[in-house]
Amino acid sequence: MDSCNPTRIARHGLLLCTTGPVKIKQARYLDDFSPIDPDCETIPYSRSYLHHLFKQHEPLFMTLASQHNLIFMHKLMAQLRKKILNDEI
């Protein structure tokens, strides 16, 4: 899959997760030290840290958020590919 969507939405503060998208700019992530997606290991930073980077307009945020979304999409596509090959979907 070749798409600019994971990086585009990352730049605007939207992180992909197994439970649904996380809008990291929301204040509830200020003190949330949990991983971005506990069910999908991507980058070793907390939601709170990414919230801080986003609010401070740090360029590192765009890199980390894009990396997270790309890893998430890669793992999601691998899971879907496996299910297709096993005739589960």
Side-chain angles (χ1 to χ4, degrees), residues 1 3-10 14-18 36-37 39-45 50 62-81:
M1 178 174 164
S3 174
C4 63
N5 190 51
T7 55
R8 180 180 294 137
I9 63 174
L14 191 69
L15 303 174
L16 301 172
C17 295
T18 53
I36 298 166
D37 188 350
D39 299 327
C40 181
E41 186 177 331
T42 57
I43 59 175
Y45 300 103
L50 288 180
M62 290 183 277
T63 302
L64 293 176
S66 294
Q67 186 178 20
H68 164 77
N69 282 352
L70 289 169
I71 293 169
F72 177 84
M73 287 296 293
H74 177 73
K75 290 183 177 187
L76 178 64
M77 292 299 117
Q79 290 171 356
L80 290 173
R81 190 178 310 114

Side-chain angles (χ1 to χ4, degrees), residues 2 5 8 11-12 25-26 28 30 34-35 37 39 44-46 48 56 58-60 66-69 71 79 85:
D2 184 23
N5 190 51
R8 180 180 294 137
R11 289 193 307 265
H12 296 284
K25 56 186 157 188
Q26 294 178 343
R28 66 178 164 175
L30 180 65
S34 62
D37 188 350
D39 299 327
Y45 300 103
S46 69
S48 178
Q56 297 304 314
E58 286 285 342
L60 178 60
S66 294
Q67 186 178 20
H68 164 77
N69 282 352
I71 293 169
Q79 290 171 356
L85 291 174

